[in-house]
Amino acid sequence: MSEKAPDNFEAALAELETLVSKMEDGDLSLEESLNAFESGIKLTRQCQQALQQAELKVQKLSQSEDGEPVLQPLDPDE
């Protein structure tokens, strides 16, 4: 993994998938595997945080003005 964290969820997920593939191939040394694992943990946390923030935003946008949740149909034609 590069030293700089990815800027968005999609980039972090793609980098995590690349790390997992490399680890699954079994071609990494022990030290490389540990570094990849550490990077993977950081990327996983970054992805989880991004998902939590997105969930909070959806919840906020789905509330009425008085703070009560508003049920929205999944199909706009409903």
Side-chain angles (χ1 to χ4, degrees), residues 22-77:
K22 287 180 181 179
M23 291 177 72
E24 286 178 341
D25 287 344
D27 295 332
L28 300 177
S29 68
L30 177 59
E31 187 170 331
E32 290 170 329
S33 293
L34 288 172
N35 287 335
F37 181 77
E38 182 179 357
S39 296
I41 294 296
K42 290 176 184 177
L43 288 166
T44 299
R45 289 180 181 152
Q46 181 180 348
C47 288
Q48 288 173 336
Q49 184 178 19
L51 290 172
Q52 288 171 347
Q53 288 173 349
E55 183 179 5
L56 289 173
K57 187 172 186 177
V58 167
Q59 287 175 353
K60 184 176 180 182
L61 293 172
S62 298
Q63 290 178 350
S64 65
E65 289 182 21
D66 62 359
E68 292 297 315
V70 176
L71 295 178
Q72 300 290 335
L74 293 176
D75 185 357
D77 296 330

Side-chain angles (χ1 to χ4, degrees), residues 4-12 15 46 50:
K4 184 176 181 276
D7 292 333
N8 60 48
F9 174 81
E10 290 79 8
E15 195 166 332
Q46 181 180 348

